[in-house]
């Protein structure tokens, strides 16, 4: 049976917020080039929308990680399923994620990427659930802070479904 989805953040709200983040990044990186690193699969929709709104030169790369542990909690030990194609050496890198939850995945990933000698390394996430944080993660750009509810859409999935929803919704079982 299909689940019901309650809208938490409408398409218009999300798009407006991405406009603002794109503007902020364009301002912060004036005269530079930004290298966006997308964490697949969840970060893909957000990264594409964000990249279109950045007015300084942009290059893109993708990586895919899977965290060891249960289905709903991440252990923080991350396995790289698909690594980046390009080196980060000397680049102004922004990691683009769908959501920071416990922070375990990002904490691990950012430490790993730091070792690759980027000129700078920042984190941009569409959603942040601060109440769920276990590991400290410094988030440079946040779309929305949301309460502790399981959300889907704009890249986020429930059992691999609903990534393509153009808004953020809550699954009502
Ligand atoms: P963390 O290591 O706990 O921060 O895990 C973050 C990852 O868990 C995200 O990249 C998502 O893939 C997944 N996740 C966390 N919360 C949600 C949610 O509300 N909906 C869908 N996926 C989520
Ligand atoms: Mg993710």
């Amino acid at each position: 049976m299909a689940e019901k989805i309650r809208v938490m953040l409408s398409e218009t709200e999300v798009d407006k917020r991405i406009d603002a983040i794109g503007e902020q990044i364009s301002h912060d990186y004036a005269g530079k080039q930004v290298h966006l690193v997308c964490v697949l699969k969840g970060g893909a929709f957000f990264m594409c929308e964000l990249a279109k709104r950045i007015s300084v030169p942009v290059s893109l790369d993708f990586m895919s990680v899977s965290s060891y542990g249960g289905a709903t909690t991440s252990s923080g030990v991350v396995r790289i399923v698909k690594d980046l194609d390009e080196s980060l050496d000397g680049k102004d890198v922004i990691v683009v994620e769908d959501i920071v939850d416990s922070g375990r995945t990002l904490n691990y990933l950012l430490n790993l990427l730091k070792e690759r000698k980027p000129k700078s390394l920042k984190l941009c996430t569409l959603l942040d659930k601060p109440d769920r944080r276990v590991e400290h993660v410094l988030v440079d750009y946040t779309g929305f802070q949301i309460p502790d509810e399981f959300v889907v859409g704009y890249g986020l999935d429930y059992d691999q479904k609903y990534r393509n929803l153009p808004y953020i919704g809550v699954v009502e079982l």
Side-chain angles (χ1 to χ4, degrees):
M1 209 184 77
E3 294 85 12
K4 263 196 171 170
I5 311 290
R6 167 169 52 87
V7 178
M8 179 189 273
L9 297 162
S10 72
E11 181 170 8
T12 312
E13 285 175 276
V14 176
D15 286 352
K16 259 195 178 167
R17 186 70 193 115
I18 302 177
D19 284 347
I21 299 173
E23 222 173 273
Q24 183 69 49
I25 290 175
S26 305
H27 173 264
D28 294 349
Y29 289 80
K32 298 181 184 170
Q33 177 167 335
V34 283
H35 188 65
L36 301 182
V37 165
C38 171
V39 185
L40 294 169
K41 302 170 188 168
F45 288 77
F46 176 41
M47 180 168 92
C48 292
E49 291 304 319
L50 182 63
K52 288 193 278 183
R53 292 157 166 92
I54 296 175
S55 57
V56 300
V58 169
S59 53
L60 310 171
D61 207 345
F62 299 84
M63 76 188 295
S64 180
V65 298
S66 92
S67 88
Y68 294 106
T72 53
T73 55
S74 62
S75 62
V77 180
V78 172
R79 184 168 61 95
I80 297 180
V81 177
K82 182 225 172 292
D83 206 340
L84 297 170
D85 292 336
E86 291 165 52
S87 145
L88 298 183
D89 197 354
K91 294 182 178 146
D92 288 306
V93 175
I94 304 177
V95 174
V96 181
E97 251 288 26
D98 49 2
I99 190 163
V100 184
D101 187 35
S102 73
R104 289 191 173 109
T105 310
L106 263 300
N107 185 279
Y108 184 92
L109 196 63
L110 289 171
N111 283 326
L112 189 122
L113 296 180
K114 234 178 258 167
E115 288 168 19
R116 299 186 182 185
K117 306 276 181 282
K119 189 168 153 208
S120 64
L121 182 63
K122 287 195 177 184
L123 172 63
C124 177
T125 184
L126 178 59
L127 303 174
D128 184 5
K129 282 188 201 171
D131 297 345
R132 299 258 305 167
R133 202 59 42 80
V134 174
E135 292 278 347
H136 174 76
V137 175
L138 179 68
V139 185
D140 300 283
Y141 303 99
T142 306
F144 302 90
Q145 291 199 335
I146 60 165
D148 180 13
E149 287 191 275
F150 193 83
V151 289
V152 294
Y154 238 99
L156 291 141
D157 74 302
Y158 170 68
D159 205 11
Q160 296 302 324
K161 289 182 292 184
Y162 306 119
R163 291 191 195 276
N164 58 317
L165 295 180
Y167 56 87
I168 301 294
V170 178
V171 182
E172 309 211 304
L173 296 168

